[in-house]
Coordinates of all heavy atoms in Angstrom, one line a residue:
M1 N 24.6 -12.9 -1.7 CA 23.9 -11.7 -1.1 C 23.2 -12.0 0.1 O 22.9 -13.2 0.4 CB 22.9 -11.2 -2.2 CG 21.7 -12.2 -2.4 SD 20.4 -11.4 -3.4 CE 19.1 -12.6 -3.3
K2 N 22.9 -11.1 1.0 CA 22.1 -11.2 2.1 C 20.7 -11.1 1.7 O 20.3 -10.2 0.9 CB 22.4 -10.2 3.2 CG 23.9 -10.2 3.7 CD 24.1 -11.5 4.6 CE 25.5 -11.4 5.2 NZ 25.7 -12.7 6.0
A3 N 19.8 -11.9 2.3 CA 18.4 -11.8 2.0 C 17.7 -12.3 3.3 O 18.3 -12.9 4.2 CB 18.0 -12.7 0.8
V4 N 16.4 -12.0 3.4 CA 15.5 -12.4 4.4 C 14.5 -13.4 3.9 O 13.8 -13.1 2.9 CB 14.8 -11.3 5.1 CG1 13.8 -11.7 6.1 CG2 15.9 -10.4 5.8
M5 N 14.4 -14.6 4.5 CA 13.5 -15.6 4.0 C 12.5 -15.9 5.1 O 12.8 -16.0 6.3 CB 14.3 -16.8 3.6 CG 13.5 -18.0 3.0 SD 14.5 -19.4 2.4 CE 15.2 -18.6 1.0
L15 N 11.1 -15.1 10.2 CA 12.0 -14.4 9.2 C 13.4 -14.6 9.6 O 13.9 -14.3 10.7 CB 11.6 -12.9 9.1 CG 10.2 -12.6 8.6 CD1 9.9 -11.1 8.8 CD2 10.0 -13.0 7.2
I37 N 13.8 -1.0 0.6 CA 12.9 -2.1 0.3 C 11.6 -1.7 1.1 O 11.6 -1.5 2.3 CB 13.5 -3.4 0.9 CG1 14.8 -3.7 0.1 CG2 12.4 -4.5 0.7 CD1 15.7 -4.5 1.0
G38 N 10.5 -1.8 0.4 CA 9.2 -1.5 1.1 C 8.7 -2.7 1.9 O 8.8 -3.8 1.5
V39 N 8.2 -2.4 3.1 CA 7.6 -3.4 3.9 C 6.1 -3.1 4.0 O 5.6 -2.0 4.3 CB 8.1 -3.3 5.4 CG1 7.5 -4.4 6.3 CG2 9.7 -3.6 5.3
G40 N 5.2 -4.1 3.6 CA 3.8 -3.9 3.6 C 3.0 -4.9 4.3 O 3.5 -6.0 4.7
D43 N 2.9 -8.4 2.9 CA 4.1 -9.3 3.3 C 3.8 -10.1 4.6 O 4.1 -11.3 4.7 CB 5.4 -8.4 3.6 CG 5.8 -7.6 2.4 OD1 5.4 -7.9 1.2 OD2 6.5 -6.6 2.6
A44 N 3.1 -9.4 5.6 CA 2.8 -10.0 6.8 C 1.8 -11.1 6.6 O 1.8 -12.2 7.3 CB 2.3 -9.0 7.9
I61 N 11.4 -15.5 -0.2 CA 11.9 -14.1 0.2 C 10.6 -13.2 0.1 O 10.2 -13.0 -1.0 CB 13.0 -13.6 -0.6 CG1 14.2 -14.5 -0.5 CG2 13.4 -12.2 -0.3 CD1 15.3 -14.3 -1.5
P62 N 10.2 -12.6 1.2 CA 9.0 -11.6 1.1 C 9.5 -10.3 0.4 O 10.7 -10.1 0.1 CB 8.7 -11.3 2.5 CG 9.4 -12.3 3.3 CD 10.6 -12.7 2.6
G63 N 8.5 -9.5 0.1 CA 8.8 -8.1 -0.4 C 8.4 -8.0 -1.8 O 8.7 -8.8 -2.7
Q64 N 7.6 -6.8 -2.1 CA 7.0 -6.6 -3.3 C 7.7 -5.5 -4.2 O 7.5 -5.4 -5.4 CB 5.6 -6.3 -3.2 CG 4.7 -7.3 -2.5 CD 3.3 -6.8 -2.3 OE1 2.6 -6.8 -3.3 NE2 3.0 -6.5 -1.1
V66 N 11.0 -2.5 -4.5 CA 12.4 -2.0 -4.2 C 12.7 -0.8 -4.9 O 12.1 -0.5 -5.9 CB 13.4 -3.1 -4.4 CG1 13.1 -4.4 -3.6 CG2 13.5 -3.4 -5.9
Y93 N 7.0 -11.8 -4.1 CA 8.2 -12.3 -3.4 C 9.4 -11.6 -4.0 O 9.4 -11.0 -5.1 CB 8.4 -13.8 -3.7 CG 7.3 -14.7 -3.2 CD1 6.5 -15.4 -4.1 CD2 7.0 -14.9 -1.9 CE1 5.5 -16.2 -3.7 CE2 6.1 -15.7 -1.4 CZ 5.2 -16.3 -2.2 OH 4.2 -17.2 -1.9
G94 N 10.5 -11.7 -3.2 CA 11.8 -11.3 -3.7 C 12.5 -10.0 -3.3 O 13.6 -9.7 -3.6
G95 N 11.7 -9.2 -2.6 CA 12.2 -7.8 -2.3 C 13.2 -7.7 -1.1 O 14.0 -6.8 -1.2
Y96 N 13.1 -8.5 -0.2 CA 13.9 -8.4 1.1 C 15.3 -9.0 0.8 O 15.7 -10.0 1.3 CB 13.3 -9.1 2.3 CG 12.0 -8.6 2.8 CD1 11.2 -7.6 2.2 CD2 11.5 -9.0 4.1 CE1 10.1 -7.2 2.7 CE2 10.4 -8.5 4.7 CZ 9.6 -7.6 4.0 OH 8.4 -7.1 4.5
A97 N 16.1 -8.3 0.0 CA 17.4 -8.8 -0.4 C 18.3 -7.6 -0.9 O 17.8 -6.6 -1.2 CB 17.3 -9.8 -1.5
E98 N 19.5 -7.9 -0.9 CA 20.5 -6.9 -1.4 C 20.4 -6.7 -2.9 O 20.8 -5.7 -3.4 CB 21.9 -7.3 -1.0 CG 22.1 -7.2 0.5 CD 23.6 -7.7 0.9 OE1 24.0 -8.6 0.3 OE2 24.1 -7.0 1.8
H99 N 19.9 -7.8 -3.6 CA 19.7 -7.7 -5.0 C 18.4 -8.4 -5.3 O 18.1 -9.4 -4.8 CB 20.8 -8.5 -5.8 CG 22.2 -8.0 -5.5 ND1 22.8 -6.8 -6.1 CD2 23.1 -8.4 -4.6 CE1 24.0 -6.6 -5.6 NE2 24.3 -7.6 -4.8
A100 N 17.6 -7.7 -6.1 CA 16.3 -8.1 -6.4 C 16.0 -8.1 -7.9 O 16.5 -7.3 -8.6 CB 15.2 -7.3 -5.6
L297 N 18.1 -4.4 6.9 CA 17.6 -5.7 6.3 C 17.5 -6.7 7.4 O 16.6 -7.5 7.5 CB 18.4 -6.2 5.1 CG 17.9 -7.4 4.4 CD1 16.5 -7.1 3.8 CD2 18.9 -7.7 3.3
A300 N 14.4 -7.2 9.8 CA 13.1 -7.5 9.3 C 12.1 -8.0 10.3 O 10.9 -7.8 10.3 CB 13.2 -8.4 8.1
A303 N 10.6 -5.2 12.1 CA 9.7 -4.5 11.2 C 8.3 -5.2 11.3 O 7.3 -4.5 11.4 CB 10.2 -4.4 9.8
H304 N 8.3 -6.4 11.2 CA 7.1 -7.2 11.2 C 6.4 -7.2 12.6 O 5.2 -7.2 12.8 CB 7.3 -8.6 10.7 CG 7.3 -8.7 9.2 ND1 6.4 -9.6 8.5 CD2 8.0 -8.0 8.3 CE1 6.6 -9.4 7.2 NE2 7.6 -8.5 7.0
M307 N 4.5 -4.0 12.8 CA 3.2 -4.1 12.2 C 2.2 -5.0 13.0 O 1.0 -4.6 13.0 CB 3.4 -4.7 10.8 CG 4.0 -3.8 9.8 SD 3.9 -4.3 8.1 CE 4.8 -5.8 8.1
L318 N 13.1 -1.0 4.7 CA 14.4 -1.6 5.0 C 15.5 -1.1 4.1 O 15.2 -0.8 2.9 CB 14.2 -3.2 4.9 CG 13.2 -3.9 5.7 CD1 13.1 -5.4 5.3 CD2 13.4 -3.7 7.2

Side-chain angles (χ1 to χ4, degrees):
M1 70 172 185
K2 298 289 185 185
V4 172
M5 184 174 288
L15 297 173
I37 301 152
V39 177
D43 302 342
I61 299 169
Q64 302 176 74
V66 300
Y93 299 114
Y96 291 16
E98 292 178 323
H99 303 279
L297 187 61
H304 279 236
M307 288 196 292
L318 301 176

